[in-house]
Amino acid sequence: MTSYIAAIDQGTTSTRCMLFDRGGGVVSSDQVEHRQILPRAGWVEHDPDEIWANTRKVCAGALAKADIVASDVEAVGITNQRETTVVWEKATGKPIYNAIVWQDTRTDTIVNELARGEKGQNRFQETTGLPLATYFSATKIRWILDNVEGARKRAENGELLFGNMDTWVLWNSTGGPDGGVHVTDVTNASRTLLMDLRTLQWDPDICAQIGVPMSMLPEIKSSSEIYGRFRERGVFGGLPIAGILGDQQAATFGQACLSPGEAKNTYGTGNFLLLNTGTDLVLSENGLLTTVGYKIGNAATVYCLEGSIAVTGSLVQWLRDNLGLIGSAPEIEQLASGVDDNGGAYFVPAFSGLFAPHWRSDARGAIVGLTRYVNRGHLARAVLEATGFQTREVIEAMNADSGVELTSLKVDGGMVVNELLMQFQADILGVPVIRPVVNETTALGAAYAAGLAVGFWESEADIRSNWAKDKQWDPKLAQDRREAEYRQWQKAVTKTFDWVE
Ligand SMILES: Nc1ncnc2c1ncn2[C@@H]1O[C@H](COP(=O)(O)OP(=O)(O)O)[C@@H](O)[C@H]1O
Ligand SMILES: O=P(O)(O)OC[C@H](O)CO
């Protein structure tokens, strides 16, 4: 009998469920978008109940599209937008506040207060691998406990639970208030600013310093083991949930970056470049994050260096939704192809400040180099080039931290269908860019983690042999042009600093 592995991918803009066969091929997929709730400038929220309802819908949808039933599926993996924070009542499953999304910058005052000491932004870096920034979960939990009436007391009494989206989906899938499993995996825990990267446990001192009661935190487990089973009456009734990975780590796994020195770059709402550093934990001196890559059952923990860029695909959305310059995301390629270059314009999308490698919350977006010559096509090109330039910045930081010189770059995500962007990426990096046949590497990575735990796949060798190249872009731009363009970009970035008083 044919059997499959399912993956739930709870992302920033949508939730999807995908079914995979033993060759890592996509059998079916269902996807639903959720609302982006933007109550004020810099605030971004999601409704956790809407996301849980969408999760159930897409699981049923994926089964229906493949024309199979739950018993044809051997196990389910979960992957998720990382850092996004939900706090809910243990007794009822009711969230006490909307989910605060990773892009949300409302906690900058808390972050600045915590960073006042001698080590500044690096106060917790040695233990957690992360700089102090609004990006991570800890200050979001603190904000909810400080701002929802009675929340801190209730958390201290053990009445409230915290989870990222993996935990929220897992807890609800396994019964919610009725015996739901309150667990996360090491990759998600490594994004909270509360986990010790070496012990893989919550750090009690950091929890106390940031003001997060440990009783509300989930238990930390590996990325590949059976955490629990779907409640019997649910769509995947009785199936084991056997893999959890944060979405960028899942993509790294799905891209078969399984040896030190291998890296992938995912182009979605933001861009996330992860380099496998093996069992070595490399602390960055150049603005990158140290994060858990994956831990398969009892095997050794694999670490990664990560360059997180907040705004890439979302800049294309902004051009569509806020300026109306394009009617749909793919139209940007046509518009940008109408001109030969950027006409001198550079667009630095510091909408949430700048993430890696700058970590400047005082920065705000800017378009520089404008003259009367610049037209819509040049702006479209500047939007796409911003993604390519930002990627080069994090690759340079990665090289400085690790000594690894990338000889090619594996890519995936929603933007990599854009040929013009892919060619520009190869041109500005000076190395080939390679796209795999299965571009849905995030869901695939979570499926692999679940499938390994139940013996559907035997070893990581299966992941390597399933990976196949779809297309490659080789650099065509002369080196002096490449360097001159990049210098202009670096100058443009400096113009965004010191904007927020
Ligand atoms: N043809 C295209 N050219 C450029 N950007 C695109 C194109 N198609 C989609 N995008 C962008 O890709 C992003 C969606 O990618 P996806 O990987 O689904 O994101 P996420 O997983 O972060 O929700 C959107 O921000 C969208 O603007
Ligand atoms: O949901 P995505 O693909 O935008 O990924 C978001 C990242 O996990 C944020 O750290």
Side-chain angles (χ1 to χ4, degrees):
M1 191 191 75
T2 318
S3 57
Y4 308 97
I5 297 289
I8 297 168
D9 177 2
Q10 201 305 291
T12 308
T13 50
S14 71
T15 305
R16 65 188 112 180
C17 178
M18 301 189 75
L19 294 170
F20 293 94
D21 61 24
R22 222 172 283 273
V26 179
V27 174
S28 76
S29 172
D30 197 37
Q31 179 172 4
V32 181
E33 291 204 4
H34 52 264
R35 278 178 309 141
Q36 303 295 317
I37 304 165
L38 309 167
R40 301 185 196 179
W43 291 30
V44 188
E45 300 177 1
H46 293 160
D47 174 354
D49 288 325
E50 180 187 0
I51 284 180
W52 170 231
N54 288 354
T55 304
R56 284 175 288 167
K57 255 185 239 165
V58 296
C59 291
L63 283 180
K65 285 183 182 173
D67 196 19
I68 61 169
V69 291
S71 56
D72 296 327
V73 177
E74 286 203 17
V76 183
I78 298 174
T79 181
N80 56 296
Q81 53 168 324
R82 305 162 306 165
E83 301 97 15
T84 297
T85 295
V86 193
V87 176
W88 68 94
E89 292 176 351
K90 198 194 270 185
T92 64
K94 207 168 147 285
I96 65 163
Y97 193 80
N98 274 337
I100 301 185
V101 177
W102 58 276
Q103 299 149 321
D104 189 295
T105 54
R106 79 184 67 190
T107 64
D108 56 353
T109 318
I110 302 175
V111 164
N112 291 339
E113 269 167 26
L114 286 165
R116 253 192 213 128
E118 189 195 327
K119 290 191 182 158
Q121 262 186 317
N122 288 334
R123 176 169 170 181
F124 303 123
Q125 191 204 16
E126 175 64 30
T127 307
T128 66
L130 309 174
L132 259 165
T134 58
Y135 180 23
F136 309 107
S137 312
T139 59
K140 301 182 196 293
I141 306 175
R142 154 92 176 263
W143 189 93
I144 292 176
L145 298 186
D146 286 350
N147 288 278
V148 177
E149 210 186 322
R152 179 163 297 281
K153 203 159 184 353
R154 297 180 71 198
E156 282 161 359
N157 288 342
E159 293 168 34
L160 301 182
L161 299 177
F162 151 76
N164 294 125
M165 282 301 172
D166 59 319
T167 305
W168 174 244
V169 169
L170 176 71
W171 189 81
N172 281 294
S173 301
T174 51
D178 224 359
V181 173
H182 191 224
V183 158
T184 189
D185 91 302
V186 281
T187 66
N188 277 291
S190 75
R191 316 295 297 192
T192 56
L193 204 69
L194 298 172
M195 190 188 82
D196 183 330
L197 277 179
R198 293 168 186 83
T199 63
L200 306 179
Q201 295 301 322
W202 303 118
D203 184 286
D205 284 344
I206 297 180
C207 290
Q209 287 174 59
I210 302 186
V212 174
M214 291 182 70
S215 56
M216 67 193 300
L217 301 178
E219 187 184 347
I220 303 172
K221 296 210 170 183
S222 81
S223 318
S224 175
E225 61 181 274
I226 297 178
Y227 312 99
R229 286 178 183 275
F230 272 85
R231 55 186 177 174
E232 285 300 336
R233 283 185 303 128
V235 60
F236 281 144
L239 291 183
I241 299 165
I244 301 179
L245 286 159
D247 57 9
Q248 302 309 322
Q249 284 89 340
T252 309
F253 204 58
Q255 280 270 31
C257 296
L258 305 171
S259 300
E262 293 186 293
K264 70 85 204 180
N265 196 21
T266 299
Y267 298 68
T269 310
N271 261 39
F272 301 88
L273 193 140
L274 272 77
L275 171 77
N276 182 324
T277 61
T279 50
D280 290 341
L281 190 160
V282 180
L283 285 182
S284 177
E285 290 173 4
N286 295 283
L288 301 179
L289 312 178
T290 309
T291 200
V292 177
Y294 52 90
K295 179 172 167 56
I296 301 304
N298 292 325
T301 308
V302 171
Y303 294 95
C304 286
L305 271 173
E306 173 175 323
S308 330
I309 303 167
V311 179
T312 57
S314 55
L315 186 59
V316 177
Q317 286 170 347
W318 183 84
L319 209 66
R320 181 194 65 192
D321 301 339
N322 294 39
L323 297 194
L325 269 190
I326 46 175
S328 69
E331 274 179 33
I332 193 170
E333 187 162 1
Q334 204 184 344
L335 187 55
S337 300
V339 291
D340 292 332
D341 55 29
N342 61 21
Y346 295 80
F347 195 151
V348 186
F351 292 174
S352 306
L354 284 168
F355 281 17
H358 306 286
W359 299 105
R360 295 287 298 242
S361 56
D362 62 341
R364 283 300 176 269
I367 308 172
V368 299
L370 292 179
T371 58
R372 226 179 134 175
Y373 173 69
V374 170
N375 63 32
R376 290 147 45 95
H378 296 125
L379 279 188
R381 205 171 253 271
V383 161
L384 293 175
E385 290 185 358
T387 296
F389 285 127
Q390 291 185 98
T391 297
R392 173 153 169 188
E393 289 182 319
V394 295
I395 286 184
E396 291 202 339
M398 209 156 262
N399 174 248
D401 275 335
S402 66
V404 172
E405 292 260 14
L406 285 184
T407 51
S408 64
L409 182 67
K410 284 180 170 177
V411 300
D412 54 59
M415 289 182 96
V416 304
V417 293
N418 192 308
E419 302 264 343
L420 190 145
L421 170 61
M422 293 297 102
Q423 184 58 53
F424 179 73
Q425 188 66 88
D427 284 343
I428 210 67
L429 292 178
V431 298
V433 166
I434 299 173
R435 187 174 71 193
V437 171
V438 178
N439 184 33
E440 298 293 351
T441 53
T442 301
L444 181 59
Y448 281 143
L452 285 171
V454 297
F456 184 85
W457 286 291
E458 269 178 28
S459 72
E460 290 171 16
D462 293 333
I463 301 178
R464 276 202 190 286
S465 64
N466 282 348
W467 190 94
K469 178 164 91 177
D470 170 42
K471 187 154 184 188
Q472 173 167 330
W473 291 265
D474 293 315
K476 290 183 182 153
L477 195 67
Q479 190 175 354
D480 55 342
R481 279 282 315 282
R482 174 190 315 144
E483 296 313 315
E485 280 295 316
Y486 188 57
R487 271 196 306 278
Q488 285 298 104
W489 164 263
Q490 287 176 302
K491 198 151 80 171
V493 170
T494 63
K495 309 286 180 202
T496 69
F497 294 165
D498 291 323
W499 186 256
V500 180
E501 295 282 323

